[in-house]
Amino acid sequence: MTKQIRKVFGFALTAAMTLSFAVNVCAAEYYPSTSYEDTYDAQYTYGGPNLVDYQVPALEYGRLTTTQTGVMEKGYCPGLQTVPSTAGNGGYGVGRGGSVIVNAPVNVGSYPVYEQPAFTSVDGMTRSDGSIGTVKISSLGINMKVWEGETNTSMAKGLGHYSSTSAWDGNVGVCGHNRGARYTIGSIKDMEIGDTITYTTIYGTRTYAVSFVGTIDNTDWSYLQTTTDNRITLTTCLANHPESRVCVQATEVK
């Protein structure tokens, strides 16, 4: 081999080695290693726990996971955004405050599942006379129709329905005058635990047993919050105490 041939051969060999190194560098840069040791900087344990086993992808805010990664991720917290808005009609509007009443969780497998608050819109419930229902309390001789809206116009005809509460399933809130009007329910302050109330709508009739009778602050609207069970809540003013309200709440008799 002549000196000139050896020189050309050596140049070609050097170029090939340089190209091979460049390719390997590019491969290392754009195609990272897929081996466990290089990725996690730890030796893989065959038949035992490894770092990758404990890595759980982060959840997007506001989304529920479908993985079995923990009780708190699977629990649904109902009612956090179901706070009625202020009606602003002179004292009968629903304000903010109090906690949502939910049933105790029911275990499904190993995980507790919370029931979502019940709610029925008043849409489509209007009867031929314009009312949405009838409340009857036999022990007090009360038999009054319920009209949509917690307004003086509604209470002049019977009871007013708190428009921010459910109209059938869940917690139905109604209000009425305590005195000085044709239709009054001031006597509800004399009700006793266990007394019954019936509520009739286009969906049927439900019977409720009184579970609470008391005087509350006129800014306490917690008894009108949504519930998972069926309830009816009545409120009226307390004579000579404008800062207070009489509240009666009853739960459905199964």
Side-chain angles (χ1 to χ4, degrees):
M1 181 181 295
T2 64
K3 184 177 181 179
Q4 184 177 8
I5 293 176
R6 286 199 302 271
K7 185 176 180 179
V8 172
F9 180 77
F11 177 78
L13 180 61
T14 301
M17 292 177 63
T18 302
L19 178 61
S20 175
F21 175 76
V23 170
N24 288 335
V25 170
C26 291
E29 180 179 355
Y30 296 107
Y31 300 96
S33 172
T34 57
S35 70
Y36 181 89
E37 289 81 3
D38 290 344
T39 302
Y40 297 103
D41 193 26
Q43 185 174 0
Y44 186 80
T45 303
Y46 291 92
N50 289 280
L51 178 63
V52 69
D53 299 329
Y54 301 98
Q55 292 193 346
V56 179
L59 292 175
E60 181 182 347
Y61 179 77
R63 299 290 296 275
L64 292 176
T65 179
T66 56
T67 60
Q68 308 294 313
T69 54
V71 173
M72 292 307 296
E73 289 182 358
K74 293 185 71 62
Y76 178 68
C77 299
L80 295 182
Q81 284 75 44
T82 56
V83 180
S85 59
T86 302
N89 56 14
Y92 280 96
V94 180
R96 299 180 182 273
S99 58
V100 175
I101 304 170
V102 298
N103 287 347
V106 178
N107 286 337
V108 177
S110 302
Y111 300 95
V113 177
Y114 292 84
E115 295 184 54
Q116 191 170 0
F119 186 90
T120 302
S121 170
V122 73
D123 293 344
M125 288 185 61
T126 303
R127 301 186 293 192
S128 59
D129 62 358
S131 65
I132 65 168
T134 300
V135 167
K136 185 176 182 179
I137 308 175
S138 298
S139 62
L140 300 178
I142 292 175
N143 188 358
M144 299 182 186
K145 293 182 178 180
V146 180
W147 307 81
E148 178 58 18
E150 60 278 31
T151 64
N152 286 325
T153 301
S154 293
M155 290 185 285
K157 298 181 290 185
L159 300 176
H161 170 247
Y162 285 103
S163 57
S164 295
T165 69
S166 176
W168 180 244
D169 292 328
N171 188 11
V172 180
V174 298
C175 56
H177 289 302
N178 69 319
R179 60 180 180 174
R182 180 177 178 182
Y183 299 97
T184 62
I185 58 170
S187 58
I188 64 172
K189 70 181 188 314
D190 300 321
M191 296 192 73
E192 298 180 355
I193 303 300
D195 286 349
T196 59
I197 301 172
T198 62
Y199 177 50
T200 301
T201 72
I202 62 172
Y203 297 122
T205 298
R206 280 181 173 149
T207 300
Y208 307 81
V210 172
S211 56
F212 171 80
V213 180
T215 301
I216 62 175
D217 190 85
N218 65 352
T219 60
D220 179 9
W221 302 103
S222 60
Y223 290 93
L224 295 179
Q225 297 289 351
T226 54
T227 62
T228 58
D229 58 0
N230 295 325
R231 305 185 181 202
I232 189 166
T233 304
L234 289 75
T235 65
T236 188
C237 295
L238 181 62
N240 304 317
H241 292 277
E243 76 286 354
S244 302
R245 296 288 183 270
V246 175
C247 178
V248 171
Q249 189 168 77
T251 55
E252 183 183 15
V253 178
K254 298 294 186 179

